[in-house]
Amino acid sequence: MTVLDLLEEIEDIVDKAPGVPLTGKVMVDADELNAIVMDIRKSLPDDVHQAQWVKEEKERILQEARAEYERLINEAKKQADYLVDTNDITLRAHKLSEEIQQNAHEYSKELKMRTYDYMDKILFDMENKMDEFGMKLFGEMYGQMEKSLLEINNILKQNREEVKEMAFNTQNGTDGSGTDVK
């Protein structure tokens, strides 16, 4: 069962539980709820693995963008060397080389921006799922579990901030170390 299925099962147990007169509270089977909580704990690592996959996928996409950028730069240099036979050709070659380099830079930047948007969306969706998960399940009885979810959300928010910072650096033409990227 998925975590969401288990949460629905808890909701059903609470909805069907007999009420305690004059208190507004219900009586539930603690063993049954504890068994479901154990199942939820077993399922949580899957969500953590998915977040790790997103991080690895981000790195893979960025590596591909860097490799494509380098390939385009090398191609532009080779083409420029080939055209250096006369002064007129040399001027055209320099201009063409700059255009290719600019196009490669813009293409790389666009790929990075799309990657950041994609990662931000996934992290945002996971953050929302974790918020929904916390709202439905956690109350007074599950304070410790709520603390764990908040830590996961903080990590997700930090990851989103890193992605936004990388996007900002890319947008502003820096590589994050303070040096300009052309």
Side-chain angles (χ1 to χ4, degrees):
M1 283 187 150
T2 67
V3 173
L4 294 177
D5 293 335
L6 294 168
L7 289 174
E8 287 179 21
E9 191 174 329
I10 289 175
E11 286 176 341
D12 288 343
I13 290 170
V14 172
D15 289 343
K16 293 176 184 174
V20 176
L22 304 174
T23 66
K25 301 196 184 282
V26 295
M27 290 181 17
V28 294
D29 182 357
D31 291 336
E32 186 177 8
L33 283 180
N34 283 334
I36 294 171
V37 168
M38 291 302 293
D39 289 342
I40 289 171
R41 284 188 178 144
K42 290 175 187 173
S43 296
L44 279 177
D46 292 338
D47 293 338
V48 173
H49 289 300
Q50 184 178 7
Q52 180 65 31
W53 175 84
V54 167
K55 181 179 176 184
E56 290 168 359
E57 188 67 11
K58 170 194 79 165
E59 290 301 321
R60 183 190 65 76
I61 290 170
L62 286 175
Q63 287 293 11
E64 286 177 8
R66 285 184 193 113
E68 179 66 13
Y69 175 77
E70 290 298 322
R71 186 190 67 76
L72 289 171
I73 293 299
N74 288 335
E75 185 179 306
K77 286 178 182 176
K78 286 178 187 176
Q79 190 170 5
D81 289 344
Y82 175 76
L83 296 174
V84 178
D85 286 336
T86 67
N87 225 1
D88 187 41
I89 293 176
T90 303
L91 292 174
R92 282 190 272 158
H94 283 295
K95 183 177 180 183
L96 182 59
S97 174
E98 289 173 4
E99 288 175 7
I100 290 171
Q101 189 173 8
Q102 181 63 32
N103 289 341
H105 177 68
E106 289 173 11
Y107 179 72
S108 172
K109 188 175 182 178
E110 179 182 333
L111 280 178
K112 285 181 182 179
M113 293 306 291
R114 280 197 239 152
T115 301
Y116 298 144
D117 286 342
Y118 172 74
M119 290 185 300
D120 185 55
K121 181 188 179 312
I122 288 176
L123 292 170
F124 181 76
D125 289 344
M126 281 193 78
E127 184 180 352
N128 284 338
K129 284 180 185 177
M130 295 307 288
D131 283 342
E132 289 175 17
F133 181 69
M135 289 294 196
K136 288 182 180 179
L137 178 63
F138 301 113
E140 293 178 25
M141 291 173 47
Y142 302 105
Q144 182 61 32
M145 193 176 240
E146 183 177 18
K147 180 182 174 188
S148 295
L149 284 174
L150 290 174
E151 290 173 0
I152 290 170
N153 263 351
N154 285 337
I155 291 169
L156 290 171
K157 286 179 185 177
Q158 289 172 356
N159 286 341
R160 285 187 67 212
E161 290 302 320
E162 288 177 16
V163 167
K164 288 177 183 178
E165 183 177 336
M166 288 188 293
F168 176 79
N169 288 338
T170 298
Q171 187 70 33
N172 291 318
T174 62
D175 64 359
S177 66
T179 60
D180 288 338
V181 176
K182 293 189 178 184

